[in-house]
Amino acid sequence: MSSLLCSSIGKKLLMGLSGLFLMMFLLIHLAVNSLLLVPDGGDTFNAAAHFMATNPAIKIMEPLLGVGFLIHIVWGILLTIQNRKARGSSRYASGNKTTGVSWASKNMFILGVTILAFLVLHIAHFWVKMKVTGDPLLEHTLVNIGGVDTEVENAYRLVNATFSYLWIMIVYVVAGIGLALHLSHGFWSSLQSIGFSNELWRKRLNTVGQLYAWIVGLGFSLIALLQYLFYQG
Amino acid sequence: MENNINIKLKVWRQQNARDKGRFETFKLDNISTDSSFLEMMDILNEQLVNEGKEPIAFDHDCREGICGMCSLYINGRPHGPDDDITTCQLHMRKFKNNETITIEPWRSAGFPVIKDLIVDRTAFDQIIAAGGYVSVNTGGIPDANALPISKDEADEAMDAASCIGCGACVAACKNGSAMLFVSAKVSQLALLPQGRVEAARRAKNMVARMDDLGFGNCTNTGACEVECPKGISLANIARLNREFLVAKIQD
Ligand code: HEM
Ligand code: SF4
Ligand code: FES
């Protein structure tokens, strides 16, 4: 087992599996976030956030998600360092004129670091306030869940207030685009890395991957933008 | 259509592996656009010899695109500005009058420069020696219908077998990865019954040697496939990943 994970292909397996896991998480995250756009003062979103915060399955997933991120980031850095070394120190004076190679595929590390920088900010904005320090904006509110009035944290108010700042909105929009680029290569790449691709599936995976990447990435961007523009006051 | 061009050359010169190396520039007049790139190099070298200077060292052998000996990174691309060809199949009609042509060796930690434009590609031989062969006696030619192989598999095996081991894939790769080469060598045998027997061992040993030799990890950019003179497909890399992972997990 250790010799598998020390090999180049084994390391790529971890990278691919952690990437796939994170992409599944993103889909759920986006689905919940899209409820921020339901124009009912945040009741639907608060109910969903309450469900996510109390659901035992989600409780188990949370540390797993942390591990997934950690593996992806640590191995991403490790692979990048090894690859720079394998490339060697001499550069081509005549540059690189190879055509048909996507920009994203050559810049996965930079895109990853962009996502990581955003992630730190994102965790400070929401996770820390909701799980650790608390925030006056989160003061409990009543929502009707399945006919029962339930007291829940007002997560919507915190999100809404955060997106009232122009700079925060811009950071989220840019991060969404960075994420879309990362995944426009990452989706196909993760499946190729675990061996699930061939001449035919490559075209299919690429199409699905582009759709997934841009819907998810721009989806997050759009939610931040719409919150800033139309959901204030 | 005979046509002559004048060109300027910027060529990498390096005495030996320890030398730092530098570019030298040359002018060549009246080069026929019908001549091949390596013929142009011969003309330049003849000129240098006549001037009492040392000719430029570069690799070549068959000059018909089958041996994998020629290399050269020309104007930003391995094997120069044309698709699906080796440097020896490149022609001067691909260049314009008064153009400056930059010629560099393959650059990758796995391929150190020996002299001028020649790099040491014995790492590929070592990877092959680790398992890129069939060691069982497969007997004489079997009857055509004794061992049916589907047309698709036969075609894929033949396509993989067209790799000539030139190293352009490594030269083009931002990660200095040899995965396209190794995947072609693993696939050509794994797809056929004679090679299938040792497929698991072969994949493990060749990948282990590739890693030991310091080649990089594939990030699936696909630059190798674009620059490969034989059009070896990335699908082979997916197959190698499968072969390797299944073999390791079965252990
Ligand atoms: C929600 C966040 C993220 C998702 C969904 C994600 C997803 C992916 C996927 C699917 C791949 C392709 C894996 C493969 O080729 O096998 C990938 C590659 C990569 N990711 Fe991420 N990623 C995320 C965040 C990050 C972060 C924070 C970093 C920070 C360093 C990062 C660095 C990289 C690197 C360097 C690669 C290329 C590695 C390689 O192909 O060898 N990613 N990512
Ligand atoms: S895969 Fe293509 S580029 Fe790489 S060594 Fe074989 S023929 Fe050359
Ligand atoms: S010299 Fe043999 S392939 Fe170019």
Side-chain angles (χ1 to χ4, degrees):
Chain A
M1 201 57 190
S2 73
S3 80
L4 165 63
L5 297 183
C6 289
S7 67
S8 55
I9 296 178
K11 278 178 268 183
K12 284 304 314 268
L13 175 72
L14 277 182
M15 208 59 202
L17 289 179
S18 60
L20 282 166
F21 176 64
L22 293 179
M23 288 195 297
M24 253 163 53
F25 153 74
L26 283 185
L27 219 49
I28 298 167
H29 194 0
L30 180 67
V32 174
N33 280 20
S34 63
L35 300 177
L36 285 166
L37 300 180
V38 178
D40 61 356
D43 281 359
T44 311
F45 178 76
N46 278 336
H50 177 72
F51 170 77
M52 296 303 271
T54 51
N55 188 325
I58 303 294
K59 281 230 162 70
I60 299 170
M61 287 311 276
E62 205 171 29
L64 262 174
L65 185 64
V67 173
F69 265 112
L70 206 65
I71 289 179
H72 192 77
I73 293 167
V74 171
W75 262 260
I77 293 171
L78 195 78
L79 285 166
T80 305
I81 292 172
Q82 284 186 343
N83 289 349
R84 297 234 160 122
K85 202 166 138 233
R87 185 79 201 82
S89 48
S90 12
R91 293 275 156 272
Y92 289 115
S94 55
N96 179 349
K97 305 227 165 51
T98 302
T99 52
V101 177
S102 78
W103 181 87
S105 75
K106 292 187 281 187
N107 292 279
M108 289 302 271
F109 183 68
I110 298 299
L111 290 166
V113 169
T114 310
I115 298 171
L116 183 60
F118 162 79
L119 211 59
V120 173
L121 198 71
H122 182 56
I123 288 174
H125 277 157
F126 298 116
W127 190 83
V128 170
K129 287 183 184 167
M130 290 165 85
K131 305 274 166 158
V132 190
T133 61
D135 194 280
L137 286 167
L138 286 167
E139 198 169 294
H140 287 191
T141 172
L142 280 183
V143 291
N144 188 310
I145 300 176
V148 187
D149 276 338
T150 316
E151 200 176 304
V152 302
E153 277 196 325
N154 198 345
Y156 180 83
R157 233 173 102 211
L158 177 64
V159 176
N160 186 250
T162 308
F163 285 141
S164 67
Y165 295 95
L166 176 65
W167 73 270
I168 293 183
M169 183 273 281
I170 291 174
V171 166
Y172 272 70
V173 170
V174 171
I177 295 170
L179 182 65
L181 285 166
H182 195 72
L183 302 182
S184 70
H185 176 67
F187 187 97
W188 170 76
S189 179
S190 59
L191 289 153
Q192 166 89 357
S193 294
I194 65 171
F196 186 83
S197 184
N198 58 27
E199 218 66 78
L200 178 64
W201 275 93
R202 180 176 174 186
K203 293 193 198 82
R204 294 176 179 165
L205 293 175
N206 199 23
T207 311
V208 176
Q210 295 299 332
L211 275 173
Y212 172 90
W214 291 100
I215 289 173
V216 169
L218 294 186
F220 284 118
S221 292
L222 201 66
I223 290 168
L225 182 69
L226 293 177
Q227 271 281 330
Y228 175 80
L229 288 180
F230 302 117
Y231 288 75
Q232 300 301 327
Chain B
M1 205 178 63
E2 179 81 12
N3 206 345
N4 289 342
I5 56 174
N6 304 332
I7 50 172
K8 261 172 66 185
L9 295 164
K10 215 175 124 192
V11 185
W12 185 256
R13 301 302 301 265
Q14 185 172 335
Q15 260 316 307
N16 51 49
R18 279 175 305 283
D19 183 17
K20 249 180 66 222
R22 76 225 161 263
F23 279 104
E24 262 176 39
T25 50
F26 305 95
K27 266 181 71 69
L28 270 185
D29 291 337
N30 286 323
I31 295 294
S32 162
T33 51
D34 288 342
S35 66
S36 78
F37 195 84
L38 294 188
E39 280 166 347
M40 179 278 290
M41 294 294 286
D42 293 338
I43 294 169
L44 172 62
N45 271 348
E46 211 161 303
Q47 195 173 300
L48 289 176
V49 170
N50 288 340
E51 291 167 10
K53 295 185 186 140
E54 197 178 332
I56 298 159
F58 63 93
D59 264 330
H60 62 105
D61 190 7
C62 71
R63 296 207 176 195
E64 55 178 1
I66 55 167
C67 75
M69 205 53 206
C70 59
S71 49
L72 305 188
Y73 193 91
I74 305 160
N75 282 355
R77 292 182 65 185
H79 293 304
D82 201 351
D83 296 327
D84 299 325
I85 53 143
T86 55
T87 292
C88 60
Q89 294 169 303
L90 180 66
H91 280 80
M92 293 311 293
R93 56 177 169 270
K94 286 283 163 188
F95 300 91
K96 292 190 287 288
N97 197 20
N98 295 325
E99 188 169 347
T100 301
I101 304 172
T102 306
I103 311 174
E104 298 169 77
W106 286 172
R107 292 202 185 282
S108 197
F111 290 161
V113 174
I114 297 173
K115 187 180 168 71
D116 293 346
L117 301 169
I118 298 182
V119 297
D120 182 355
R121 284 174 284 183
T122 47
F124 271 13
D125 299 336
Q126 292 180 49
I127 295 173
I128 293 291
Y133 47 79
V134 173
S135 60
V136 287
N137 188 348
T138 56
I141 302 168
D143 282 344
N145 58 357
L147 208 57
I149 298 164
S150 78
K151 170 96 169 75
D152 288 345
E153 301 246 300
D155 284 351
E156 273 192 271
M158 275 306 278
D159 286 346
S162 66
C163 165
I164 54 177
C166 65
C169 41
V170 177
C173 179
K174 81 181 241 301
N175 307 316
S177 166
M179 283 287 276
L180 195 65
F181 166 76
V182 177
S183 72
K185 297 303 176 193
V186 163
S187 290
Q188 64 176 357
L189 298 172
L191 282 162
L192 299 177
Q194 292 87 343
R196 195 61 241 167
V197 184
E198 295 170 289
R201 192 173 71 197
R202 178 180 306 114
K204 282 186 291 186
N205 290 347
M206 289 180 79
V207 169
R209 184 57 59 86
M210 171 185 87
D211 291 349
D212 282 350
L213 289 163
F215 289 103
N217 310 283
C218 174
T219 59
N220 308 318
T221 69
C224 52
E225 181 188 60
V226 176
E227 296 300 358
C228 172
K230 300 297 164 186
I232 300 293
S233 161
L234 287 190
N236 290 301
I237 296 184
R239 182 180 297 105
L240 171 61
N241 290 340
R242 265 196 310 278
E243 292 281 340
F244 179 84
L245 291 171
V246 169
K248 279 286 187 187
I249 288 162
Q250 275 173 355
D251 277 354

